[in-house]
Amino acid sequence: WDRTLSKPEVIFARTSPQQKLQIVEQLQNKGHIVAVTGDGVNDSPALKQANVGCAMGIVGSEVAKEAADIILMDDNFASIVAGIREGRAIFDNLRKSIAYTLSHLLPEIIPFLCNIAFGFPLGLSSLLILFIDLGTELAPAVSLAYEEPEADIMKRKPRSAALDRLVSQQVFISSYLFVGIIEAFCAFANFFYVFVGVYGMPASALPFTAADYFKDDANKLVINGREYFAAEQMDALTTAQSAWFASIVVCQIFNLLSSKTRRQSAIPRLFSNKYINIGICIELAICCFLIYVPPVHEGIANNWIPGECWAIALPFGVLILGQSELKKY
């Protein structure tokens, strides 16, 4: 068996049902993923044993159909190729959607870690996290399911079932850590811009203030001789939280565009998927609605942000898209 199956191409003729089963088992013992096609009763043991059994829908026996995993309704072997292409596209799109979703988790966690460990004012409220996870991110993540397959999808070797999982180590590191860190830096940049540039609070004065300040009944905060009462402290905090929220949204838009492809450049097909374009519009609409509509942002303890915050976030978004393109080359 080792000598026979080591050849690049092997043809077995006039095999019995038992021999067909042995061929499948020997290939599986060597670590191969085995697909078997058949239409008769004699094929059913091999169809059952195979990783993927394909029975004929028109001329196939009922026993073969029962044993198979897939039934070719048109008895056309070309349908197998189309099915493989579709399956690879679904796997790719699921991985893209998971990678996109993982990216925004780190900038959601870091504000709480900084608040607990260093006493910084909370950069992102729990309510805004819910709006990200259940609002702005929902439509873009689903829209990736409608992405067309990449041109080289049928030129790739079959993936290793043991190593190339849906959430691989590479996907986790690239999305959760690499892209997530860029988004976190973007959020911090806007967070400190609001406190320092808009409200005149130096960054060095912010650590270990969360316990006594930046809440509705906060004590008066004096920094460099300037007094900040509770109302102004809350204005600064809610504006900074809105800037953090907007930073994640902007970075995730660029992350979404970079996630359109895994191996080839995303630039030529940047806006080719109408569902992704609609998802981006929905994401921006929800973000602006929560930040700039007075009854809404007052109801969720939010605040409007200056245009500079959007401008600060853009280079980080371009960086996410740029590093993704470099990895593909």
Side-chain angles (χ1 to χ4, degrees):
W1 282 107
D2 290 338
R3 182 170 59 86
T4 303
L5 297 180
S6 64
K7 300 180 184 297
E9 296 178 359
V10 183
I11 297 176
F12 296 93
R14 303 183 66 82
T15 53
S16 67
Q18 183 61 33
Q19 290 170 333
K20 293 177 183 178
L21 181 61
Q22 285 181 347
I23 294 168
V24 173
E25 290 174 340
Q26 290 297 327
L27 287 169
Q28 288 175 331
N29 290 339
K30 286 184 165 293
H32 294 290
I33 304 298
V34 183
V36 172
T37 60
D39 57 5
V41 175
N42 291 342
D43 299 317
S44 58
L47 287 169
K48 188 71 174 178
Q49 178 64 31
N51 299 94
V52 182
C54 303
M56 302 297 109
I58 299 174
V59 300
S61 66
E62 290 301 319
V63 176
K65 292 178 184 178
E66 287 291 329
D69 302 293
I70 298 172
I71 299 175
L72 299 179
M73 301 306 295
D74 56 0
D75 286 7
N76 186 354
F77 285 111
S79 299
I80 298 176
V81 179
I84 292 172
R85 184 176 186 273
E86 188 68 24
R88 290 186 176 189
I90 291 171
F91 182 88
D92 265 9
N93 289 345
L94 279 173
R95 175 174 277 184
K96 293 171 190 176
S97 184
I98 291 170
Y100 169 79
T101 304
L102 283 174
S103 301
H104 68 79
L105 298 181
L106 190 64
E108 290 180 351
I109 295 171
I110 283 181
F112 292 91
L113 296 179
C114 290
N115 177 260
I116 294 169
F118 305 109
F120 275 97
L122 189 60
L124 194 65
S125 68
S126 301
L127 196 56
L128 286 178
I129 290 178
L130 285 176
F131 277 115
I132 292 172
D133 294 340
L134 303 178
T136 61
E137 292 299 284
L138 203 56
V142 172
S143 68
L144 282 169
Y146 297 93
E147 188 63 30
E148 288 295 319
E150 295 176 53
D152 68 337
I153 195 165
M154 292 303 290
K155 297 178 182 179
R156 304 174 193 170
K157 293 182 178 180
R159 65 181 182 87
S160 170
L163 300 176
D164 198 4
R165 302 294 181 88
L166 195 59
V167 184
S168 63
Q169 184 179 11
Q170 181 184 1
V171 170
F172 182 82
I173 292 173
S174 176
S175 301
Y176 191 78
L177 295 180
F178 202 87
V179 177
I181 287 173
I182 295 175
E183 293 190 11
F185 272 112
C186 175
F188 268 122
N190 263 326
F191 180 78
F192 287 119
Y193 171 76
V194 169
F195 279 108
V196 178
V198 178
Y199 288 90
M201 300 181 186
S204 58
L206 295 178
F208 305 106
T209 57
D212 299 318
Y213 306 103
F214 299 102
K215 47 190 176 182
D216 292 327
D217 57 348
N219 298 322
K220 179 176 64 176
L221 176 63
V222 180
I223 302 176
N224 296 335
R226 180 177 172 182
E227 297 179 342
Y228 296 91
F229 293 95
E232 193 171 5
Q233 293 176 38
M234 289 304 298
D235 277 345
L237 177 63
T238 53
T239 304
Q241 289 178 341
S242 297
W244 193 294
F245 172 65
S247 299
I248 294 177
V249 168
V250 171
C251 286
Q252 282 294 91
I253 289 173
F254 283 90
N255 185 29
L256 177 66
L257 295 175
S258 69
S259 299
K260 286 168 65 69
T261 59
R262 290 180 54 214
R263 297 169 181 261
Q264 299 182 324
S265 173
I267 301 297
R269 53 194 289 178
L270 213 54
F271 298 103
S272 60
N273 185 340
K274 67 177 182 179
Y275 297 103
I276 284 182
N277 299 338
I278 293 170
I280 291 173
C281 293
I282 292 173
E283 188 170 15
L284 280 173
I286 293 174
C287 181
C288 293
F289 180 73
L290 295 175
I291 291 174
Y292 291 111
V293 177
V296 177
H297 72 63
E298 289 171 5
I300 62 174
N302 209 7
N303 209 349
W304 68 275
I305 59 174
E308 291 85 346
C309 291
W310 298 100
I312 290 171
L314 284 175
F316 290 93
V318 173
L319 177 61
I320 290 172
L321 181 60
Q323 63 85 25
S324 175
E325 289 296 301
L326 286 175
K327 285 193 298 182
K328 291 166 188 174
Y329 283 106

XYZ file of all heavy atoms in Angstrom, residues 243-288:
363
model
N -15.178 60.215 21.672
C -14.022 60.192 20.772
C -13.442 58.787 20.690
O -13.010 58.339 19.615
C -12.959 61.178 21.268
N -13.421 58.081 21.817
C -12.934 56.692 21.821
C -13.839 55.818 20.951
O -13.380 55.007 20.147
C -12.905 56.169 23.262
C -12.141 54.886 23.458
C -12.456 53.652 22.962
C -10.916 54.714 24.175
N -11.525 52.721 23.342
C -10.567 53.340 24.091
C -10.098 55.568 24.916
C -9.425 52.820 24.697
C -8.962 55.059 25.516
C -8.631 53.694 25.414
N -15.133 56.007 21.111
C -16.136 55.273 20.334
C -15.965 55.539 18.838
O -15.935 54.602 18.023
C -17.523 55.707 20.826
C -18.676 55.195 20.019
C -18.964 53.846 19.954
C -19.504 56.072 19.329
C -20.037 53.365 19.213
C -20.583 55.615 18.594
C -20.848 54.256 18.534
N -15.818 56.808 18.459
C -15.650 57.168 17.047
C -14.347 56.622 16.492
O -14.282 56.230 15.317
C -15.689 58.689 16.893
N -13.302 56.554 17.308
C -12.013 56.011 16.863
C -12.152 54.544 16.459
O -11.611 54.125 15.427
C -10.970 56.139 17.974
O -10.752 57.491 18.320
N -12.854 53.780 17.272
C -13.063 52.369 16.950
C -13.856 52.223 15.652
O -13.535 51.393 14.797
C -13.780 51.650 18.113
C -12.879 51.601 19.346
C -14.204 50.235 17.707
C -13.526 50.982 20.569
N -14.881 53.052 15.495
C -15.715 52.976 14.289
C -14.901 53.283 13.037
O -14.961 52.543 12.032
C -16.909 53.946 14.405
C -17.622 54.091 13.062
C -17.890 53.461 15.461
N -14.090 54.350 13.075
C -13.286 54.719 11.901
C -12.277 53.624 11.577
O -12.123 53.208 10.416
C -12.567 56.059 12.150
C -11.558 56.342 11.029
C -13.568 57.202 12.236
N -11.578 53.133 12.588
C -10.583 52.072 12.354
C -11.233 50.805 11.825
O -10.676 50.124 10.952
C -9.834 51.770 13.655
S -8.641 53.039 14.135
N -12.417 50.487 12.320
C -13.093 49.273 11.870
C -13.581 49.383 10.425
O -13.677 48.374 9.729
C -14.267 48.942 12.803
C -13.849 48.286 14.105
C -13.261 46.902 13.879
O -12.053 46.740 13.700
N -14.113 45.892 13.883
N -13.859 50.588 9.966
C -14.234 50.762 8.558
C -13.054 50.394 7.656
O -13.205 49.658 6.676
C -14.704 52.204 8.299
C -16.075 52.433 8.952
C -14.775 52.501 6.799
C -16.557 53.865 8.894
N -11.866 50.890 8.001
C -10.679 50.543 7.218
C -10.333 49.068 7.392
O -9.875 48.414 6.442
C -9.504 51.419 7.645
C -9.565 52.820 7.102
C -10.198 53.832 7.793
C -8.998 53.127 5.873
C -10.264 55.125 7.296
C -9.052 54.406 5.353
C -9.688 55.407 6.064
N -10.548 48.539 8.580
C -10.310 47.117 8.818
C -11.260 46.259 7.974
O -10.869 45.214 7.448
C -10.497 46.807 10.305
C -10.145 45.378 10.660
O -9.296 44.750 10.022
N -10.798 44.844 11.667
N -12.492 46.714 7.842
C -13.471 46.006 7.018
C -13.021 45.965 5.562
O -13.091 44.916 4.909
C -14.832 46.704 7.132
C -15.968 46.137 6.286
C -16.348 44.739 6.751
C -17.194 47.067 6.350
N -12.537 47.087 5.052
C -12.081 47.140 3.663
C -10.851 46.253 3.450
O -10.722 45.597 2.414
C -11.766 48.592 3.273
C -12.965 49.551 3.256
C -12.505 50.974 2.987
C -13.997 49.127 2.220
N -9.959 46.226 4.433
C -8.765 45.385 4.305
C -9.104 43.905 4.447
O -8.355 43.048 3.962
C -7.718 45.777 5.347
O -8.136 45.434 6.652
N -10.229 43.588 5.096
C -10.628 42.190 5.312
C -11.328 41.574 4.109
O -11.659 40.388 4.129
C -11.559 42.095 6.528
O -10.915 42.532 7.710
N -11.544 42.345 3.059
C -12.248 41.835 1.881
C -11.485 40.694 1.214
O -12.082 39.828 0.581
C -12.473 42.970 0.872
C -13.563 43.956 1.299
C -13.545 45.191 0.420
C -13.896 44.891 -1.002
N -15.304 44.514 -1.192
N -10.169 40.688 1.322
C -9.353 39.638 0.733
C -8.367 39.118 1.769
O -7.991 39.838 2.698
C -8.561 40.148 -0.492
O -7.726 41.240 -0.079
C -9.501 40.613 -1.589
N -7.924 37.864 1.580
C -6.936 37.260 2.470
C -5.565 37.170 1.830
O -4.559 37.249 2.508
C -7.390 35.860 2.882
C -8.574 35.816 3.824
C -8.928 34.381 4.151
N -7.768 33.663 4.657
C -7.535 32.366 4.431
N -8.364 31.667 3.688
N -6.476 31.782 4.935
N -5.510 36.984 0.510
C -4.238 36.757 -0.175
C -3.935 37.818 -1.213
O -2.779 38.172 -1.414
C -4.242 35.375 -0.847
C -4.358 34.210 0.138
C -4.628 32.917 -0.602
N -4.769 31.793 0.322
C -3.804 30.935 0.604
N -2.619 31.070 0.048
N -4.003 29.938 1.453
N -4.935 38.319 -1.904
C -4.736 39.297 -2.961
C -5.056 40.700 -2.449
O -5.718 40.869 -1.424
C -5.607 38.952 -4.165
C -5.276 37.589 -4.765
C -6.108 37.270 -5.985
O -7.283 37.617 -6.054
N -5.509 36.603 -6.965
N -4.588 41.690 -3.169
C -4.805 43.081 -2.758
C -6.292 43.417 -2.745
O -7.042 43.026 -3.643
C -4.068 44.019 -3.719
O -4.395 45.373 -3.439
N -6.694 44.153 -1.722
C -8.088 44.569 -1.611
C -8.356 45.889 -2.338
O -9.515 46.259 -2.532
C -8.467 44.718 -0.138
N -7.298 46.585 -2.751
C -7.458 47.911 -3.349
C -8.309 47.887 -4.624
O -9.234 48.694 -4.778
C -6.077 48.551 -3.637
C -5.266 48.686 -2.334
C -6.241 49.912 -4.301
C -5.880 49.584 -1.299
N -8.064 46.955 -5.581
C -8.870 46.988 -6.821
C -10.354 46.728 -6.593
O -11.180 47.106 -7.425
C -8.240 45.859 -7.672
C -6.878 45.664 -7.110
C -7.006 45.930 -5.646
N -10.714 46.065 -5.496
C -12.126 45.733 -5.247
C -12.624 46.387 -3.963
O -13.501 45.858 -3.296
C -12.289 44.215 -5.179
C -11.344 43.547 -4.207
C -11.283 42.053 -4.411
N -12.501 41.383 -3.997
C -12.707 40.077 -4.116
N -11.766 39.310 -4.661
N -13.816 39.514 -3.716
N -12.098 47.572 -3.663
C -12.339 48.216 -2.379
C -13.825 48.444 -2.116
O -14.320 48.214 -1.009
C -11.571 49.541 -2.321
C -11.045 49.973 -0.947
C -10.196 48.893 -0.318
C -10.240 51.256 -1.070
N -14.560 48.910 -3.123
C -15.985 49.205 -2.932
C -16.854 48.396 -3.896
O -17.926 48.844 -4.313
C -16.230 50.707 -3.128
C -15.493 51.572 -2.138
C -14.347 52.252 -2.516
C -15.935 51.694 -0.822
C -13.654 53.043 -1.612
C -15.247 52.474 0.090
C -14.105 53.156 -0.299
N -16.397 47.189 -4.239
C -17.128 46.367 -5.207
C -18.329 45.649 -4.590
O -19.238 45.242 -5.307
C -16.176 45.332 -5.819
O -15.646 44.486 -4.797
N -18.317 45.469 -3.273
C -19.402 44.752 -2.591
C -20.423 45.766 -2.071
O -20.149 46.513 -1.133
C -18.815 43.934 -1.441
C -19.857 43.057 -0.750
O -21.058 43.286 -0.850
N -19.392 42.054 -0.037
N -21.591 45.793 -2.665
C -22.595 46.791 -2.286
C -23.074 46.598 -0.847
O -23.455 47.566 -0.171
C -23.781 46.770 -3.246
C -24.629 45.502 -3.198
C -25.831 45.608 -4.126
C -26.710 44.364 -4.050
N -27.885 44.470 -4.931
N -23.038 45.360 -0.372
C -23.481 45.104 0.999
C -22.493 45.671 2.019
O -22.895 46.164 3.072
C -23.681 43.604 1.214
C -24.756 43.020 0.339
C -24.425 42.284 -0.795
C -26.098 43.219 0.619
C -25.404 41.751 -1.620
C -27.095 42.689 -0.194
C -26.743 41.958 -1.306
O -27.719 41.443 -2.121
N -21.208 45.602 1.685
C -20.205 46.221 2.561
C -20.365 47.736 2.535
O -20.250 48.398 3.586
C -18.787 45.798 2.131
C -18.530 44.357 2.581
C -17.728 46.730 2.711
C -17.143 43.837 2.261
N -20.632 48.307 1.366
C -20.848 49.756 1.276
C -22.044 50.178 2.121
O -21.996 51.196 2.825
C -21.068 50.162 -0.178
C -19.869 49.837 -1.060
O -18.754 49.688 -0.564
N -20.097 49.716 -2.351
N -23.116 49.389 2.058
C -24.299 49.681 2.880
C -23.952 49.537 4.360
O -24.361 50.355 5.196
C -25.464 48.748 2.494
C -25.948 49.058 1.077
C -26.622 48.875 3.483
C -26.936 48.043 0.522
N -23.163 48.503 4.703
C -22.760 48.292 6.092
C -21.959 49.452 6.634
O -22.145 49.869 7.786
N -21.055 50.013 5.817
C -20.262 51.177 6.235
C -21.168 52.372 6.472
O -21.007 53.105 7.464
C -19.189 51.498 5.174
C -18.126 50.399 5.159
C -18.546 52.852 5.447
C -17.117 50.530 4.028
N -22.126 52.590 5.586
C -23.067 53.703 5.745
C -23.889 53.550 7.025
O -24.093 54.528 7.763
C -23.993 53.798 4.532
S -23.161 54.271 3.001
N -24.344 52.332 7.304
C -25.107 52.081 8.533
C -24.236 52.331 9.755
O -24.674 52.945 10.738
C -25.658 50.636 8.537
C -26.725 50.471 7.453
C -26.225 50.271 9.910
C -27.200 49.038 7.274
N -22.988 51.869 9.702
C -22.059 52.052 10.829
C -21.829 53.531 11.124
O -21.895 53.973 12.277
C -20.737 51.356 10.501
C -19.751 51.308 11.656
C -18.569 50.409 11.365
O -18.355 50.056 10.190
O -17.860 50.056 12.325
N -21.559 54.304 10.078
C -21.333 55.738 10.263
C -22.597 56.456 10.725
O -22.540 57.363 11.564
C -20.832 56.361 8.954
C -19.349 56.166 8.638
C -19.036 56.677 7.240
C -18.477 56.877 9.669
N -23.743 56.037 10.180
C -25.013 56.670 10.551
C -25.315 56.462 12.033
O -25.718 57.399 12.736
C -26.144 56.124 9.689
N -25.121 55.241 12.517
C -25.359 54.953 13.938
C -24.406 55.759 14.814
O -24.804 56.341 15.836
C -25.211 53.444 14.220
C -26.320 52.661 13.524
C -25.242 53.167 15.728
C -26.170 51.153 13.619
N -23.138 55.803 14.408
C -22.131 56.541 15.176
C -22.479 58.020 15.273
O -22.490 58.599 16.370
C -20.762 56.356 14.526
S -19.415 57.201 15.384
N -22.774 58.646 14.145
C -23.098 60.075 14.140
C -24.415 60.348 14.855
O -24.570 61.384 15.528
C -23.167 60.593 12.707
S -21.568 60.587 11.865
